[in-house]
Structures are given as structure tokens and as C-alpha cells.
């Protein structure tokens, strides 16, 4: 679905206020979810056309599903890898990437996304709470292999599911599946950044999944300004300082004056 430019917009007085706030900001965090990649053609999970509206996540994206039916889980991930390989980052990702070299003391992305489009847009300061779709891990010997959108399908394809070179066990995508904990270091770093930022943008997340959905509370507790960008309201919209009903790729360039 293409957003009509005039369909979504940020109210001019909100825009002016937000631009004043970010001018004085020192530590900025972008907490992102699937919505920021939607305009790159990657479906979200809980929109009307989202993945979990069509498929049962417990059968395709849980640890027990992987253990009982690795072929089905790999078929699901192979199709998502193919989609991500063919996707391009959008103006939302690109705007965030340009901000790392701005005058902020720190500018970090904490993402729930596994598509690495933030990195492909040029972001270096990225924390991946849910892993990434081009990594693989062996649950037996814990060996990890890392590829990217250009090399993954040079090494694997849908004919066969990946096996560990060390112990020949089936490899799992390095994605945090349901029933799995978040990676400890990434989670700790995410809490520290959220607790010390003075502005947090919450971009494209329904804030349905814990513990990631706790991060805006850490920012609010630190009296940060929290700005939500989402065409739809969320559980936390009423707690936000600003809740902009717009698409990330339309409004982020506007807020940061990116032509
Ligand atoms: N710009 C900004 N937000 C958008 C856009 C857009 N162009 N299009 C849709 N959205 C919003 C939707 O309104 C929705 O609130 O993005 C949000 C996506 O929500 P989810 O599909 O629930 O995705 P997310 O919040 O990232 O899910 C968190 O759930 O299943 C797990 O591991 C999965 O990381 C994922 C986690
Ligand atoms: Zn192994």
C-alpha cells in the first residue's frame, strides 16, 4: 500500500516543537519495529496484512517448532530471507543513518527487526534485540556463522536446510524465536541507552512484545521526550509526549530536514 504524501502528515506545531527539542538533545535513541521496514516491502506482524494474521507464530517462529519441524521453520525463514535480499532500505532507515554523524553525543538504533536494513542504510550503532536473519547458530556446539544479503544464498538454498560444519547438527537462524531469551549483552545495552537518552523515537512498533516493549518506560523514567511514529495508535500512545500518525519514511526526513 503506497502512502499518499498528503494522507499522512505531522501537525506543524508538533513539528516545530520536536525540532526545538532535538536541537538541544544530546543522546538520542531510535527504538524501531517492523513498521519502519514496511515501505521496503517487508510485511509487519500484526497489521491487517501482517504475518501473524496469516500464519501461526508458534508453528513457524518458536524454539519448539524449530526442534520438532526444522524443515517447516526453514521454509518460512528461506522465504523471508529471499524477500529481505530483494528489499531496499527506505527514507526512514536512511534518515536515521545520517544522524550518527550529527552533533549528538550519541545516536543509537535499538531494533526488534532482523532484516539489517538499518545497517544497509549506513547505521553503525545498531543493537539487534531479536538477532538477524542472515546469521546461523548451532544449538549443539554454539558455533555461529554470519552472512549478509549478498552472500547468504551463495552458500545455502531451499533444497537443503543448513547443517553445522563442526558437528553436522541442523543450524538455526540467529533470530530470537518465541520461547527464547533476548541476548543478554544487547538487552543490557538497550536498557542503559534507554535509561540515559534524552529523546527516544519509537518507530513502527505495536509495542506488543516484551521485554522489548519496556524500553520506552526506561526512557520516560529518565524524563526523556518520547516520540512515537506510527499510523496507528498503540498501547503506549497516551504516555508519549508526541504520537505522530504517519509513516516513518514520510515524517522522519521532515523532522530532521532531510531533503
Ligand atoms: N511507518 C511506521 N509504522 C508503521 C508503518 C509505517 N509506514 N506501517 C505500519 N506501521 C506500524 C503498525 O501500525 C504497527 O503498529 O508498525 C507496527 C508493527 O507492529 P508489529 O507488526 O507488531 O511489529 P513489531 O512491533 O516490530 O513486533 C515486535 O514481534 O513477532 C515478534 O519478533 C517479532 O520483532 C517482532 C516483534
Ligand atoms: Zn555444531
Amino acid at each position: 500500500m503506497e502512502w499518499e504524501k498528503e494522507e499522512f502528515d505531522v501537525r506543524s506545531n508538533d513539528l516545530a516543537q520536536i525540532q526545538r527539542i532535538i536541537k538541544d538533545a544530546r543522546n538520542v535513541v531510535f527504538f524501531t519495529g517492523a513498521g519502519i521496514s514496511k515501505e521496503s516491502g517487508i510485511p509487519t506482524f500484526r497489521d491487517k496484512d501482517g504475518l501473524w494474521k496469516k500464519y501461526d507464530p508458534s508453528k513457524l517462529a518458536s524454539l519448539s517448532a524449530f526442534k520438532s519441524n526444522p524443515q517447516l521453520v526453514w521454509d518460512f525463514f528461506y522465504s523471508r530471507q529471499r524477500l529481505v535480499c530483494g528489499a531496499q532500505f527506505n527514507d526512514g532507515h536512511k534518515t536515521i543513518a545520517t544522524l550518527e554523524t550529527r552533533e549528538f553525543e550519541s545516536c543509537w538504533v535499538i531494533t526488534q527487526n532482523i532484516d539489517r536494513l538499518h545497517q544497509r542504510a549506513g547505521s553503525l550503532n545498531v543493537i539487534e534485540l531479536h538477532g538477524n536473519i542472515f546469521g546461523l547458530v548451532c544449538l549443539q556446539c554454539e558455533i555461529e556463522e554470519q552472512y549478509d544479503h549478498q552472500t547468504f544464498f551463495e552458500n545455502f538454498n531451499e533444497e537443503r536446510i543448513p547443517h553445522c560444519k563442526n558437528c553436522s547438527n541442523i543450524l538455526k537462524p540467529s533470530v530470537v524465536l518465541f520461547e527464547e531469551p533476548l541476548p543478554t549483552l544487547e538487552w543490557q545495552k538497550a536498557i542503559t541507552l534507554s535509561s540515559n537518552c534524552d529523546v527516544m523515537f519509537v518507530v513502527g512498533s505495536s509495542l506488543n512484545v516484551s521485554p522489548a516493549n519496556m524500553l520506552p518506560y526506561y526512557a520516560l523514567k529518565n524524563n526523556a521526550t518520547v516520540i512515537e511514529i506510527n499510523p496507528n495508535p498503540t498501547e503506549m500512545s497516551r504516555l508519549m509526549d508526541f504520537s505522530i500518525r504517519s509513516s516513518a519514511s514520510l515524517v522522519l526526513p521532515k523532522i530532521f530536514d532531510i531533503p
Side-chain angles (χ1 to χ4, degrees):
M1 166 192 178
E2 280 302 308
W3 306 99
E4 299 305 323
K5 287 260 178 235
E6 58 288 345
E7 187 175 347
F8 284 96
D9 205 343
V10 44
R11 287 194 302 263
S12 51
N13 57 336
D14 282 354
L15 184 62
Q17 278 187 66
I18 292 170
Q19 288 178 328
R20 250 196 317 280
I21 291 165
I22 48 180
K23 222 156 85 34
D24 305 333
R26 295 181 317 288
N27 299 299
V28 179
V29 164
F30 289 87
F31 174 49
T32 66
I36 196 169
S37 297
K38 182 157 185 188
E39 285 175 82
S40 295
I42 298 177
T44 63
F45 297 96
R46 295 174 185 82
D47 274 337
K48 289 188 293 305
D49 58 350
L51 283 175
W52 301 155
K53 291 290 186 284
K54 281 181 233 153
Y55 306 112
D56 176 352
S58 66
K59 298 227 175 12
L60 292 172
S62 70
L63 187 59
S64 39
F66 175 76
K67 287 182 175 169
S68 57
N69 191 341
Q71 183 65 54
L72 182 69
V73 173
W74 264 109
D75 289 346
F76 175 61
F77 275 95
Y78 270 139
S79 66
R80 293 181 67 198
Q81 285 152 337
R82 286 282 180 203
L83 197 65
V84 172
C85 284
Q88 285 301 325
F89 55 82
N90 61 54
D91 289 346
H93 300 106
K94 210 162 71 185
T95 299
I96 293 173
T98 59
L99 300 176
E100 278 183 13
T101 50
R102 282 242 187 137
E103 59 290 350
F104 299 127
E105 259 171 50
S106 73
C107 179
W108 276 83
V109 175
I110 302 172
T111 189
Q112 301 169 90
N113 299 343
I114 60 174
D115 57 31
R116 298 219 129 164
L117 289 182
H118 281 297
Q119 291 92 329
R120 282 169 63 181
S123 285
L124 301 171
N125 302 340
V126 180
I127 293 176
E128 294 172 320
L129 292 179
H130 295 162
N132 86 86
I133 201 165
F134 294 121
L136 301 134
V137 64
C138 174
L139 295 179
Q140 192 70 28
C141 61
E142 293 179 3
I143 281 201
E144 300 222 14
E145 296 180 26
Q146 187 60 51
Y147 300 87
D148 65 22
H149 64 291
Q150 288 158 328
T151 56
F152 186 85
F153 284 109
E154 285 168 6
N155 293 277
F156 305 99
N157 65 54
E158 288 79 348
E159 305 296 308
R160 186 167 184 275
I161 51 183
H163 285 70
C164 176
K165 294 189 183 79
N166 183 45
C167 71
S168 6
N169 228 333
I170 293 176
L171 291 173
K172 180 181 92 62
S174 295
V175 173
V176 177
L177 299 176
F178 287 106
E179 302 159 13
E180 284 191 300
L182 264 54
T184 313
L185 291 180
E186 284 78 357
W187 179 235
Q188 285 306 329
K189 175 110 183 164
I191 292 176
T192 307
L193 288 168
S194 303
S195 308
N196 292 295
C197 68
D198 30 39
V199 178
M200 174 182 273
F201 285 85
V202 180
V203 188
S205 182
S206 63
L207 296 171
N208 260 288
V209 171
S210 68
N213 61 359
M214 298 302 296
L215 292 176
Y217 288 105
Y218 283 102
L220 287 167
K221 225 167 94 197
N222 187 47
N223 297 320
T225 301
V226 183
I227 301 160
E228 180 179 58
I229 297 176
N230 193 325
N232 300 302
T234 66
E235 302 288 311
M236 286 191 66
S237 294
R238 59 188 163 67
L239 301 175
M240 303 285 176
D241 296 283
F242 299 90
S243 192
I244 302 172
R245 290 283 160 275
S246 179
S247 152
S249 68
L250 277 183
V251 84
L252 280 170
K254 210 173 242 182
I255 290 174
F256 290 97
D257 272 338
I258 312 269

